[in-house]
Amino acid sequence: MRKQIVAGNWKMNNGLIQTESLIADLKRQTKVSNAEVMIAPTYTNLWHAFQSTKQTEIEVIAQNMHYAENGAYTGEISAGMLKSIGIQTVILGHSERRAYFNETDEALAKKVDAALAHDMRVIFCFGEELSDRKAGNEQAVVESQIKNALFHLNDAAYKDIILAYEPVWAIGTGETATPEQAQEMHAFIRKTLAQKYGNETAESVSILYGGSVKPNNAREIFSKPDVDGGLIGGASLKAEDFFAIVNSF
Ligand code: 13P
């Protein structure tokens, strides 16, 4: 049985006071689904968020990290540093990292290796741009993003890999992939994994959908057989909306 996961990517939002208050609001919510719940605050609030969610079912995760262990990489954070404060899971390859910080598939492959070497779980993000979809190239783009960054791994590594399909045209735009579009792509991703690693591994990997998931569309998207949860941006910044999505399973 694949894990169902709902992860809130807070992106560059919320200082310390807002982080405290949003976590307090999250603690007041009731979880009635079996989904694992994760939140990804910004670096400066990770330690605080980790401490204040210790007695809860909420896992605090990181939004990014560098592939090197340590050294002269001003402004960067390593897997070892995240682990040293208790963080077990990291988001890698978000389209905003790819678009604004020039993250390439090659750099992402190194980041994935570094996270796995530290026994961390990775939420690996990918997805096509609108121009790719208009040209009918969405599957080819997604396939190459996955192959370039992940296909050097052995199948055992996939116990720590969570995939997140986030079509760039649906992020923060209010435009969501239809549940059918999401299902079609998720099934394609699973088939791509199966061709390389076999059915058992492909069936075990959770594939999340991200891109304008809201309380009013989550249930339909999550009802699709190959959609195992969501990576939530805007709607994760309001505790009630986020938990309405968590409870959509
Ligand atoms: P939105 O839910 O705001 O579209 O963001 C999705 C996302 O990028 C999550 O990582």
Side-chain angles (χ1 to χ4, degrees), residues 7 9 11 91 94-96 125 166 170-174 210-214 231-235:
N9 177 7
K11 307 190 180 183
I91 299 171
H94 194 280
S95 64
E96 289 148 18
C125 305
E166 297 204 303
I171 295 178
T173 58
S212 298
V213 178
K214 307 288 177 202
L231 186 53
I232 320 299

Side-chain angles (χ1 to χ4, degrees), residues 228-240:
D228 305 306
L231 186 53
I232 320 299
S236 72
L237 299 173
K238 268 187 72 185
E240 277 162 34

